[in-house]
Each structure stands twice: as C-alpha cells, then as structure tokens.
Amino acid sequence: MTTHEELLARQAAWQKSRQALSWPEKIRQAERLRSSIEAIRKERWRQLRRDLPGSRNDEQAVLT
Amino acid sequence: MKEVAELLNDMRKAGVVTDYALFGAAAQMRYTEAVATLDADVLIVVPEPDRLDVLEPIYAYCHDRGYTPEDEAVRVGAWPVQFVPVFSPLTKEAVSRADTAEFEGTPLRVVGAGYLAVIALSVGRAKDFARVLALVESGAVTRDDIGALAARHGLAGAWSRFTRRFLDDNP
C-alpha cells in the first residue's frame, strides 16, 4: 500500500467511525460547526467594515 | 434539536400544521457523518395551503411561544428553523411517509433516506448532489431505490444524468 493509499484508508475508516455516532451526537457536532462558521463570518464582516474607505478604524464602527 | 422537536410536536397537536418532517442536512445526518449547516429545514403541511400568507399562523404560534424570526427562519434554541410548506407531490409524499425517529427521548418526524436523496436530486445544486452521494455511500439507500422513486416523480432523466456524471465507472 502506498502512503497515499494508507492515508485514504485511514481517512475512510475515520469517516466511518464518525458516521456510526448517534444522531444526537452528530447534531451536536453540527451545532459546534455552525458556531465556528458564524464566528468566522462575523470576523470577516468586521474586517470588511474596517477596510472600507472612510470607515472608522475601531471596534465601535462595526457595532453601529 | 430537542426543543425544535417539542415545538413541532406541539404545533401539530395545536393544528397549526397538519404534519411536518425534518429534511435537509439535519435529517441527512441520521445516515451520514455530521455536515456543516446553518439551519434546520422542516417540511410542513398546513391546513390552509392556499392562503397567501401561508406561514403567518406558524410565525404567530412561534411568537407566542417566545421564538423570534431571524432572517428567513425562526430561532428555536440553538437552531434557526426554516419552515417550508410542501411544494410538490414528492415533498407531500416525503412528509406522509416520514419516519418517527426519537431525539433524546422526544419523537421527531424525519424524511427518510430515499426521499432525502430524490428531493436533493430535484433541487440540483452542488451541495444537493453531494447529499445524494453521501446517502448512497452510507448504504442508507440503494441506487435502485432512488431510481425507482425518481422515476415515479418524473425525475428519471435527472437521475440518469446524475448516475452518468457521478456514479458510473465509465467516463
């Protein structure tokens, strides 16, 4: 087995183990994923607002 | 999600909806690994489907229970819930044949794997195609099951294109 094949096999096994979790546990995982996505989106939005020409370069600017 | 299940069951008991079933990514996760999703999609059958403001009684009921709208959804605990009235014979049948699963001790009606796959096929975005593939790969539904259901709902062509593009070994 090549290194790549081993890596893929390990990944497939890991994915299968994730799939075997209970539905509520997977839903909780999805909730945590969503929280992270929302935090990243908020931060990117903050960054965008900060970079806009003429915008105030402080935290208050994004809160208004 | 338990809070969502309780709300949906109460809504059905109160007659605000005739029936409901969770679908989309949250339903998919019964069969596959967890996937990223921003909201919980719920198919609903309403007593007065022809009224223009079909979602108004649902939003009013949620408001009375202290749940507020958030963009196109209603925030229920950790989840923005998007209520989607059934919009085709396929989605109507998906709700009527939904499984009653259990979420932490609370019954929750959920669209089954075959219907999830065919609804995704009918929507046809990249993420929907990924859902079909994930469901097939999980073994929750067979290609034959999807093919038969798709054909019954006028989606034989879409399924045939899908299999050629993503499942057949020959390029």
Side-chain angles (χ1 to χ4, degrees):
Chain A
M1 214 183 233
T2 66
T3 314
H4 281 119
E5 283 169 338
E6 271 173 32
L7 189 69
L8 287 172
R10 273 210 307 276
Q11 193 197 10
W14 183 82
Q15 276 177 340
K16 255 198 183 138
S17 72
R18 301 292 87 190
Q19 194 176 303
L21 292 172
S22 71
W23 186 36
E25 183 52 43
K26 288 187 273 191
I27 291 286
R28 279 191 288 273
Q29 283 185 349
E31 285 170 2
R32 290 193 289 271
L33 273 173
R34 204 197 49 234
S35 304
S36 307
I37 293 168
E38 280 174 350
I40 291 166
R41 281 186 169 184
K42 238 178 231 168
E43 184 49 42
R44 285 187 65 187
W45 177 239
R46 219 174 249 152
Q47 193 77 46
L48 261 175
R49 293 283 304 266
R50 226 178 279 150
D51 295 346
L52 277 177
S55 67
R56 281 185 291 156
N57 190 19
D58 61 16
E59 191 63 18
Q60 199 54 43
V62 300
L63 299 174
T64 53
Chain B
M1 192 56 77
K2 188 179 164 78
E3 202 173 339
V4 174
E6 285 165 351
L7 174 72
L8 292 169
N9 292 332
D10 290 349
M11 229 177 222
R12 189 155 80 139
K13 220 176 281 170
V16 182
V17 298
T18 314
D19 203 357
Y20 77 84
L22 188 70
F23 77 122
Q28 175 197 327
M29 284 183 253
R30 278 178 79 202
Y31 310 101
T32 69
E33 62 189 299
V35 290
T37 182
L38 292 176
D39 53 20
D41 300 318
V42 181
L43 278 172
I44 50 169
V45 182
V46 293
E48 295 176 89
D50 295 328
R51 58 185 285 177
L52 280 177
D53 53 350
V54 70
L55 291 177
E56 198 278 329
I58 286 143
Y59 275 66
Y61 184 85
C62 290
H63 179 265
D64 290 347
R65 298 269 302 244
Y67 299 119
T68 50
E70 190 181 282
D71 298 327
E72 291 166 343
V74 175
R75 167 72 70 164
V76 182
W79 286 92
V81 179
Q82 202 160 3
F83 296 97
V84 182
V86 289
F87 53 88
S88 62
L90 171 65
T91 51
K92 225 179 249 180
E93 195 176 291
V95 174
S96 70
R97 298 199 181 171
D99 303 330
T100 302
E102 207 173 88
F103 194 93
E104 293 172 342
T106 303
L108 176 57
R109 289 183 53 73
V110 194
V111 170
Y115 285 96
L116 281 177
V118 178
I119 291 171
L121 179 73
S122 73
V123 180
R125 298 163 299 182
K127 70 174 186 177
D128 300 302
F129 289 154
R131 175 164 305 146
V132 180
L133 289 171
L135 287 165
V136 171
E137 201 177 79
S138 73
V141 65
T142 66
R143 290 168 62 160
D144 288 347
D145 292 339
I146 298 175
L149 188 55
R152 210 149 53 68
H153 287 279
L155 292 162
W159 176 240
S160 160
R161 282 192 297 279
F162 180 90
T163 51
R164 268 202 311 274
R165 192 168 165 198
F166 297 110
L167 294 172
D168 287 347
D169 291 328
N170 300 322

